[in-house]
Amino acid sequence: MGLKKEATEMSNATVFVSEFVLHCEIRPEIRSFTVAALAIVYLATLFGNLLVLLVIILNHQLHTPMFFFIAILALIDVLHNTNLIPKMMALLMFDTSPVPYGACLVQMFLVFHLEIVEVYLFTLMAYDRYVAVIYPLRYPQLVTGRTVWIGMLVSNIISGMTMTVYLIFVSELSFCRTNVLPFCFCDYANMVHISCNDNPKYLSFLSTIASINGCGTLTIILISYGKIAHAALKISSAESKKKVFDVLVTHLLVVLLFYVPLIIAFILPGFGLELSTETYNTLLVVATILPPMINPIIYSFRNKEMKNAIKKLFTGKRTTLEINNCT
């Protein structure tokens, strides 16, 4: 199956591979529908997130920490789905697809790196809203452009350190049975499963990282949202209270759509609980490609300032909000 001896054999049955063959296990009768759905998701992702980036870049009134976070999220989402969806569509149309070893590692690196950065970005965005609601008078001092960039720098450093370990582990893997990855994109856990290495450290590390980065940041997010909800209960205006809870619920649903499938898929295998290939594929695909399409709707298009900026971009007219600010 495309196995090539590129290095000295560790044994008569163990060789290193020069490429992996991706095999996305989706029933033939729904492949055409899946390809069409992926195309719609990708186009919606590009349109929504690129529009968000364009509006924030062009509108100086949106150059605030909150919108910087939203712009970074939009950029991550574009990169994430561009890294995954075109290759998945080609794979489904041509059944199997060989991927050079190096290119497979690059895709795996980008998937994990962007996911780790995104979990910390969600945490920073929750902190931003927490400070804005609980400490509104101190918000300008506590949340600044400097805070945003320091937060993103630390997130990338944490992700880089984690990915270094993953790449070291992958370099240790050898393959004696097959080089076929039963998945829609290059995935670390599947590489471990098809390898000849029996050391539990490879999946244990995955579960540990998922527990720390996933469960840890999700706990912080839930605590922040809980405190915001508690503060909202003290608001006398029923309309304002409803608005706060509406924002919290929609944000929480998107966060959980991203977190829960990834936590289940990454943590359970490390504890010896095997998921079926179809279940694992479904969890990862849902968590990786749907949130980038939904995020602009939840975090941007429901925001009054963003809606006014989009209206100005397409009509060229000054909005009521801007006119009031000028008077």
Side-chain angles (χ1 to χ4, degrees), residues 241-275:
K241 188 182 299 184
K242 181 180 180 298
K243 182 178 179 181
V244 172
F245 277 102
D246 179 53
V247 171
L248 282 178
V249 170
T250 52
H251 283 202
L252 186 59
L253 287 175
V254 173
V255 167
L256 292 178
L257 179 64
F258 175 75
Y259 270 87
V260 174
L262 290 180
I263 289 174
I264 293 173
F266 290 154
I267 290 181
L268 294 185
F271 292 107
L273 299 174
E274 294 296 331
L275 301 173

Side-chain angles (χ1 to χ4, degrees), residues 120-148:
Y120 283 100
L121 177 58
F122 278 133
T123 308
L124 290 170
M125 292 172 75
Y127 166 77
D128 173 83
R129 292 300 84 204
Y130 168 77
V131 175
V133 173
I134 307 299
Y135 304 106
L137 297 180
R138 297 181 60 192
Y139 181 84
Q141 289 77 40
L142 294 175
V143 183
T144 65
R146 178 184 173 87
T147 307
V148 174

Side-chain angles (χ1 to χ4, degrees), residues 61-97:
Q61 289 184 325
L62 301 182
H63 291 182
T64 64
M66 181 183 74
F67 286 104
F68 283 149
F69 283 132
I70 291 175
I72 295 169
L73 179 63
L75 178 60
I76 289 175
D77 287 341
V78 169
L79 293 175
H80 200 49
N81 272 7
T82 298
N83 180 43
L84 295 177
I85 293 182
K87 184 65 179 177
M88 291 170 62
M89 292 173 62
L91 173 61
L92 290 172
M93 288 188 290
F94 300 108
D95 192 34
T96 58
S97 179

Side-chain angles (χ1 to χ4, degrees), residues 141-321:
Q141 289 77 40
L142 294 175
V143 183
T144 65
R146 178 184 173 87
T147 307
V148 174
W149 298 120
I150 290 177
M152 295 316 302
L153 176 62
V154 171
S155 301
N156 278 275
I157 290 174
I158 293 173
S159 177
M161 294 169 61
T162 303
M163 291 311 304
T164 299
V165 179
Y166 278 124
L167 292 177
I168 292 173
F169 281 178
V170 170
S171 69
E172 295 176 357
L173 298 178
S174 55
F175 304 88
C176 55
R177 294 180 292 271
T178 180
N179 67 337
V180 176
L181 289 173
F183 198 48
C184 302
F185 55 85
C186 294
D187 173 65
Y188 171 79
N190 276 300
M191 290 183 190
V192 174
H193 284 311
I194 69 169
S195 73
C196 311
N197 304 69
D198 296 324
N199 194 322
K201 71 176 183 180
Y202 298 111
L203 290 180
S204 296
F205 180 74
L206 178 64
S207 297
T208 302
I209 292 300
S211 299
I212 295 173
N213 290 332
C215 297
T217 56
L218 181 58
T219 300
I220 295 173
I221 291 171
L222 293 177
I223 291 173
S224 299
Y225 284 173
K227 288 185 177 293
I228 293 173
H230 183 262
L233 290 173
K234 300 178 182 179
I235 299 175
S236 57
S237 169
E239 183 179 349
S240 298
K241 188 182 299 184
K242 181 180 180 298
K243 182 178 179 181
V244 172
F245 277 102
D246 179 53
V247 171
L248 282 178
V249 170
T250 52
H251 283 202
L252 186 59
L253 287 175
V254 173
V255 167
L256 292 178
L257 179 64
F258 175 75
Y259 270 87
V260 174
L262 290 180
I263 289 174
I264 293 173
F266 290 154
I267 290 181
L268 294 185
F271 292 107
L273 299 174
E274 294 296 331
L275 301 173
S276 69
T277 301
E278 186 174 359
T279 301
Y280 184 81
N281 286 357
T282 301
L283 287 171
L284 258 64
V285 168
V286 167
T288 51
I289 71 171
L290 288 185
M293 178 185 68
I294 299 173
N295 285 340
I297 300 172
I298 301 301
Y299 289 102
S300 301
F301 299 151
R302 300 172 75 250
N303 180 283
K304 184 180 294 186
E305 293 172 272
M306 180 64 74
K307 286 192 288 188
N308 286 331
I310 292 173
K311 183 178 179 180
K312 178 185 176 183
L313 177 67
F314 284 105
T315 65
K317 297 179 180 179
R318 300 171 69 192
T319 64
T320 303
L321 180 64

Side-chain angles (χ1 to χ4, degrees), residues 24-46:
C24 202
E25 294 190 4
I26 294 179
R27 296 192 304 274
E29 60 269 21
I30 64 170
R31 286 200 170 212
S32 297
F33 170 79
T34 304
V35 170
L38 287 173
I40 292 171
V41 169
Y42 186 51
L43 291 175
T45 299
L46 288 181

